Amino acid sequence: MSTESDPTLVLDEAYRPPMANGEVIFEEPWQARAFAMAVALFERGVFTWPQFQHALIERIARFDATVHGAREYRYFDHFAGALEDVLGGLSVVSRTALVERAEQFAQRPAGHDHDHAHDGHHHH
Amino acid sequence: MSETDARLRAEALESLLIEKGLLSVSQIDDVITRYNERVGPMNGARVVAKAWCDSRFKARLLDDATSAIEEFAFEGGEVDKLVVVENTADQHNLVVCTLCSCYPWAVLGLPPKWYKDPAYRSRVVREPRAVLAEFGVQLPAATAIRVWDSSAEIRYMVLPEQPKQWQGKDEGELAALVTRDSMIGVELLAGSAE
């Protein structure tokens, strides 16, 4: 039997991520989108992966040093924060613009389904 | 920052990146689909199963895993260098990223929550045997434990020992049995140390 010609043949149907071994990787849809934004921007060459990694390490180190134990550790808050740091540092997206847009989104009426009005994309 | 704030900021970031033409919704969706469907621990399980069945592949894998896994054409190309470390009766290997969450995505997918938690990151280096015991892994006192700290440049994966009772199974059957946790080093396959 050659598995090299078509390695997909050895894949067990039941064995699929992200539920492999019963683990949920993303607890909220926005976490998956933040992760995907970072990967997509990296793949487009907007930053290198080590650049992002260093920003993430700084964020996590700050948490570990100051509020460790006093507040719940939410990994993707740090992940998204690191993405903001890298994009801010490269002047791709300014912190001011980001805060302004987030405040606009916060003003949306309840039940708007947090839809991006301009692109029609629905979060699931 | 509250959970709502984090979500709103991520949404705000997405809308700004789209406006600037740096990303599209479909590009983001494509990455999510890729990681949901094609990048995950089943990739590492195939590598382990092949190493158990093919000693020449195993030798290449332990010598230079980055090159050895090229034939699988896995996605998840953020990994510059993959190092595979072999569990033996004398040495048990355990993987961590003490600083953040570095993990071999191409072969294991995205890390589980506990891997990223401060408790695992800080304790596993200091008291690996105690942490392993909490995962239900009891090693003979004579087995040395080696902890490998991942970085942005080097990611580690454990090649677990093949349980004796799995002799005679073919590569496909074995690949379906290898677990993610055994490739991080926090589980012994079939539950017992040799």
Side-chain angles (χ1 to χ4, degrees):
Chain A
M1 182 183 79
S2 168
T3 50
E4 282 179 40
S5 55
D6 185 2
T8 56
L9 287 175
V10 302
L11 248 184
D12 186 322
E13 285 291 318
Y15 199 73
R16 291 172 74 82
M19 295 305 291
N21 302 312
E23 193 83 34
V24 177
I25 302 294
F26 301 110
E27 293 166 324
E28 304 250 350
W30 72 263
Q31 298 175 341
R33 299 198 74 74
F35 166 77
M37 279 192 271
V39 170
L41 289 167
F42 154 74
E43 288 174 350
R44 297 200 62 188
V46 174
F47 48 74
T48 67
W49 200 252
Q51 268 180 300
F52 176 76
Q53 207 77 44
H54 291 139
L56 180 60
I57 289 170
E58 276 184 32
R59 281 266 174 171
I60 291 174
R62 218 178 304 155
F63 177 91
D64 284 352
T66 57
V67 288
H68 190 173
R71 210 175 69 202
E72 189 197 351
Y73 180 75
R74 290 199 307 255
Y75 171 78
F76 281 102
D77 287 10
H78 304 292
F79 187 99
L83 184 56
E84 289 182 19
D85 293 346
V86 171
L87 294 174
L90 296 168
S91 303
V92 174
V93 174
S94 79
R95 190 83 66 188
T96 321
L98 189 67
V99 169
E100 207 172 284
R101 181 63 53 93
E103 279 168 2
Q104 283 170 20
F105 282 179
Q107 303 301 318
R108 293 172 301 191
H112 62 85
D113 194 29
H114 51 270
D115 203 358
H116 295 282
H118 54 277
D119 61 38
H121 175 78
H122 290 265
H123 291 258
H124 302 288
Chain B
M1 191 161 68
S2 75
E3 186 73 19
T4 313
D5 290 341
R7 173 174 63 74
L8 285 174
R9 285 177 83 108
E11 285 182 27
L13 185 60
E14 180 174 342
S15 84
L16 288 167
L17 288 167
I18 290 166
E19 265 175 29
K20 288 172 188 289
L22 282 163
L23 286 183
S24 66
V25 168
S26 68
Q27 281 172 325
I28 297 169
D29 290 343
D30 287 348
V31 174
I32 295 173
T33 303
R34 193 198 315 161
Y35 276 84
N36 276 338
E37 296 181 0
R38 299 195 295 279
V39 180
M42 70 288 189
N43 291 343
R46 284 164 52 198
V47 172
V48 168
K50 187 173 175 65
W52 285 344
C53 295
D54 176 345
S55 57
R56 281 182 306 175
F57 174 76
K58 178 178 161 182
R60 284 193 287 127
L61 185 69
L62 295 175
D63 179 53
D64 179 355
T66 316
S67 308
I69 66 164
E70 273 174 13
E71 67 187 63
F72 291 93
F74 293 140
E75 296 174 82
E78 297 73 19
V79 179
D80 287 333
K81 185 169 166 61
L82 177 69
V83 171
V84 172
V85 289
E86 183 186 17
N87 279 355
T88 63
D90 296 330
Q91 178 170 307
H92 181 88
N93 298 288
L94 191 52
V95 178
V96 66
C97 172
T98 53
L99 293 180
C100 52
S101 53
C102 297
Y103 192 74
W105 293 356
V107 282
L108 296 188
L110 301 177
K113 189 166 188 292
W114 57 260
Y115 184 87
K116 300 172 285 191
D117 273 356
Y120 180 77
R121 291 189 285 109
S122 60
R123 286 186 57 219
V124 82
V125 176
R126 287 200 315 271
E127 41 178 0
R129 212 169 280 271
V131 171
L132 280 176
E134 287 165 27
F135 276 98
V137 175
Q138 304 284 351
L139 292 170
T143 305
I145 300 175
R146 179 142 185 204
V147 180
W148 300 84
D149 193 356
S150 311
S151 68
E153 290 78 28
I154 301 184
R155 314 290 172 98
Y156 298 95
M157 184 184 99
V158 174
L159 174 61
E161 283 189 278
Q162 180 176 359
K164 286 202 170 64
Q165 59 267 45
W166 293 2
Q167 300 290 347
K169 291 186 187 296
D170 71 27
E171 199 177 314
E173 291 172 315
L174 290 169
L177 291 170
V178 176
T179 65
R180 179 199 66 204
D181 285 3
S182 73
M183 296 181 280
I184 304 175
V186 297
E187 182 188 345
L188 296 175
L189 292 170
S192 62
E194 291 296 323

